[in-house]
Amino acid sequence: MAALDNDGSSAIQREIVGSDRPTLSSSQINTVYQIPQTAQVLRSGGYKQIALQFPDELLIDSTQVSQALQTELSDISCKLFILADTSFGSCCVDEVAAEHYSADIVVHYGRTCLSLTSRVPVFYVFGQDPVDLDDLVNKCKEVVVGERVLVMYDVMYEYCAQDVGQRLREAGVDDAVVSTIAVSGRLYRPKTDSREKRGCGGENKSGCCGGCSNNKDSNTEDGTNARAGSENDEGLISAGRSWAPSDQALAIGDYVILYIGGESLTLTNIMATQRSKAIFSYDPRHLLVREETPKVNRHLSRRYFAVQKARDADVIGIVVGTLAATRYLRVVEKLKQMVREAHKKFYLFVVGKLSMNKLANFAEIEAFVLVACPENSLVDSKEFDRPVVTPYEMMVALSRSREWSGDYITDFREFLDVADSGKPEGLLQDEEDSDVPHFSLVTGTLKQRKKYNAPSTKDMQAGGSGGDLILRNEKTEVAKYLGSAAAEHL
């Protein structure tokens, strides 16, 4: 119970991960943090309450950035405040904290998972980490010679990605394609703007601030102010990265990925989700090129083991690891539906930043499924007492016929498309089949499933006497459906 009884001293004593670089000058602040461009977006939108979100490694510049923006926006009345500690991962926009202060917009700085928000508008400023382009091209052209190359990158190197592609082509790489980020330099506004709930406080001639739905011309041609479309169509802006092959007949498997950036969650997510011929990374800080394939194989082995343990689990914990990414509520509801149909028990948790101590307080849970942004979904379960899997992995674990292929779906929209296309083949629904034990690859023995949430009994409620007896079939055989996993555990 240490995690529940903690007095908060660990948070106070936590060491802040800072940067070893010197403090930037005023001119460097304006360039790296795009002060003029950001001020233009804020001014044109008429935003009054502005949240500036920084990760730990950029806090060293936060006050300078805030002062520079305040100076640039001296001609309008607005309030800027800094969000330094996020509810979940710093790569996600902290909509919860922003709404506590009635923020009209969040300016997100630094690394990001590129998840789109659901309520608060956001403007991403990636920053500009230095890169030696000559060294990058000279070292990378040797390992990708004769190959089609797809250039991907951490967001801090987005500003030079097109130059890298051009230099690679000049160096003899015939087919060098550069991925793009839709939100780069563009304001993203979700369908439900937080200001629409509070009413427009704009001051332009039409009586509108220009940032809410009252402004019919908000989707400008230059894309500086774009809005999401329908539920299945993101409109002018889509989440994550995108790329277009030089030939429509080509696919990701025909390319070698060249990733610009150091070891990070972004690289891990790319390695897990992209089935390219090979992946090479160039670390601009250490000027090193290396192939990343062996690491993927070890990672997939651990993930396969976690899926098998989740398959054996009868009590599932659904952990909400984000309150900002679009569609997270639909993903949670879909998981609850699948667990019920498999006659398993689930508990729903919102724990903030994931930690072993928090999850260890719930001993009756046999496997956790984490609903989080793409970069925080792939948790290394060896740090936890129970396996922690992704929603897609849980869908595979609940299916009898769906085979593990090593493919990953971390994007919520892709997961829902697969889940909504039809019930996964082999999902435990038949009463008689659910009584047949299955062979566990973890224990090497047959495992008899426990049964919860009988779908044929509409009025069955969890938490009664700990179990209910119902007729299983026309042979008048009796099956027991458990109601409370916690009571049974005790």
Side-chain angles (χ1 to χ4, degrees):
M1 300 296 290
L4 297 181
D5 297 336
N6 194 302
D7 60 1
S9 59
S10 59
I12 299 174
Q13 297 171 3
R14 179 170 60 94
E15 181 180 355
I16 299 297
V17 180
S19 174
D20 55 359
R21 63 170 173 77
T23 304
L24 298 179
S25 64
S26 298
S27 60
Q28 290 173 319
I29 288 289
N30 285 340
T31 301
V32 172
Y33 289 97
Q34 304 175 19
I35 299 301
Q37 299 94 318
T38 305
Q40 177 58 31
V41 169
L42 300 176
R43 183 183 295 106
S44 61
Y47 296 103
K48 307 299 183 184
Q49 296 281 105
I50 303 167
L52 309 179
Q53 181 177 335
F54 291 87
D56 288 349
E57 62 269 17
L58 296 183
L59 283 177
I60 187 176
D61 297 328
S62 59
T63 55
Q64 285 182 277
V65 172
S66 178
Q67 292 171 0
L69 268 178
Q70 194 72 64
T71 301
E72 194 76 20
L73 295 171
S74 58
D75 56 324
I76 64 174
S77 174
C78 63
K79 179 181 179 181
L80 281 69
F81 53 92
I82 296 173
L83 299 180
D85 188 23
T86 57
S87 303
F88 298 97
S90 60
C91 63
C92 299
V93 177
D94 195 348
E95 287 189 284
V96 175
E99 289 189 319
H100 284 170
Y101 292 93
S102 302
D104 298 328
I105 186 174
V106 175
V107 181
H108 185 284
Y109 293 97
R111 290 196 64 261
T112 173
C113 57
L114 301 173
S115 297
L116 300 182
T117 55
S118 56
R119 299 179 297 277
V120 179
V122 58
F123 183 70
Y124 288 101
V125 178
F126 302 141
Q128 299 179 6
D129 281 10
V131 182
D132 187 338
L133 294 181
D134 293 332
D135 182 78
L136 186 158
V137 174
N138 290 334
K139 290 182 178 178
C140 292
K141 69 179 181 181
E142 299 176 359
V143 297
V144 299
V145 61
E147 300 283 358
R148 292 185 173 91
V149 178
L150 171 60
V151 179
M152 304 188 80
Y153 44 85
D154 210 340
V155 293
M156 295 89 71
Y157 306 104
E158 187 269 344
Y159 73 100
C160 64
Q162 295 298 330
D163 290 340
V164 171
Q166 180 62 32
R167 292 202 182 197
L168 286 174
R169 288 187 287 267
E170 293 174 353
V173 180
D174 295 332
D175 190 358
V177 178
V178 180
S179 63
T180 58
I181 299 176
V183 296
S184 175
R186 304 171 70 182
L187 170 66
Y188 175 77
R189 292 192 302 108
K191 291 186 299 181
T192 305
D193 193 322
S194 59
R195 290 190 301 180
E196 295 177 15
K197 299 178 180 179
R198 300 194 300 269
C200 179
E203 299 176 353
N204 64 14
K205 294 180 180 180
S206 64
C208 176
C209 63
C212 69
S213 59
N214 296 332
N215 185 1
K216 303 302 181 181
D217 300 324
S218 60
N219 289 336
T220 57
E221 294 182 359
D222 62 1
T224 56
N225 188 13
R227 190 180 182 88
S230 64
E231 181 72 8
N232 298 318
D233 179 13
E234 294 295 344
L236 295 179
I237 286 185
S238 59
R241 297 165 171 80
S242 60
W243 68 284
S246 56
D247 187 332
Q248 293 300 321
L250 299 176
I252 186 68
D254 300 312
Y255 282 83
V256 168
I257 292 179
L258 174 60
Y259 175 81
I260 305 173
E263 189 170 348
S264 64
L265 293 174
T266 301
L267 177 57
T268 301
N269 185 59
I270 290 175
M271 290 190 298
T273 58
Q274 305 299 329
R275 290 290 174 260
S276 60
K277 294 176 65 176
I279 299 180
F280 293 91
S281 67
Y282 175 82
D283 189 344
R285 296 186 178 182
H286 301 96
L287 306 180
L288 295 176
V289 178
R290 67 177 184 181
E291 187 174 3
E292 300 289 347
T293 305
K295 181 180 178 180
V296 180
N297 295 336
R298 293 194 300 271
H299 177 78
L300 290 179
S301 297
R302 290 196 297 268
R303 302 305 304 182
Y304 179 77
F305 182 68
V307 170
Q308 295 305 316
K309 294 183 72 175
R311 188 187 299 272
D312 291 348
D314 295 307
V315 185
I316 309 296
I318 302 175
V319 181
V320 180
T322 177
L323 296 177
T326 54
R327 300 184 179 87
Y328 82 92
L329 284 176
R330 285 188 56 196
V331 172
V332 171
E333 290 302 318
K334 178 59 66 175
L335 286 171
K336 290 162 64 175
Q337 175 188 343
M338 290 190 295
V339 173
R340 286 195 191 100
E341 291 176 350
H343 307 321
K344 296 177 184 287
K345 184 72 174 179
F346 71 84
Y347 291 91
L348 187 63
F349 301 95
V350 180
V351 298
K353 293 182 179 179
L354 202 65
S355 72
M356 179 182 65
N357 291 337
K358 292 178 180 178
L359 299 189
N361 286 292
F362 308 100
E364 67 272 20
I365 306 298
E366 299 173 349
F368 292 93
V369 52
L370 177 61
V371 181
C373 71
E375 294 193 2
N376 286 320
S377 294
L378 302 176
V379 175
D380 192 349
S381 294
K382 69 181 182 181
E383 300 177 359
F384 296 86
D385 296 331
R386 297 288 188 268
V388 182
V389 300
T390 67
Y392 178 74
E393 289 171 336
M394 179 56 68
M395 183 170 64
V396 172
L398 294 177
S399 172
R400 282 189 171 182
S401 61
R402 188 183 293 272
E403 296 293 334
W404 170 261
S405 63
D407 291 333
Y408 271 99
I409 295 178
T410 57
D411 181 74
F412 288 167
R413 180 171 61 179
E414 293 182 27
F415 168 76
L416 290 170
D417 287 343
V418 174
D420 292 337
S421 61
K423 292 183 179 179
E425 298 180 3
L427 192 65
L428 295 178
Q429 299 180 70
D430 186 82
E431 301 297 335
E432 295 188 28
D433 289 344
S434 65
D435 284 336
V436 178
H438 75 281
F439 183 77
S440 170
L441 295 179
V442 177
T443 63
T445 61
L446 290 176
K447 185 179 187 302
Q448 183 69 46
R449 294 181 177 87
K450 299 175 183 177
K451 289 173 288 187
Y452 298 89
N453 307 314
S456 59
T457 308
K458 296 182 180 179
D459 59 345
M460 181 180 293
Q461 297 180 356
S465 61
D468 294 277
L469 297 180
I470 67 170
L471 290 180
R472 190 178 66 191
N473 52 35
E474 68 278 0
K475 299 177 182 179
T476 68
E477 295 177 353
V478 176
K480 182 177 181 180
Y481 283 86
L482 302 170
S484 173
E488 184 198 8
H489 178 77
L490 295 176

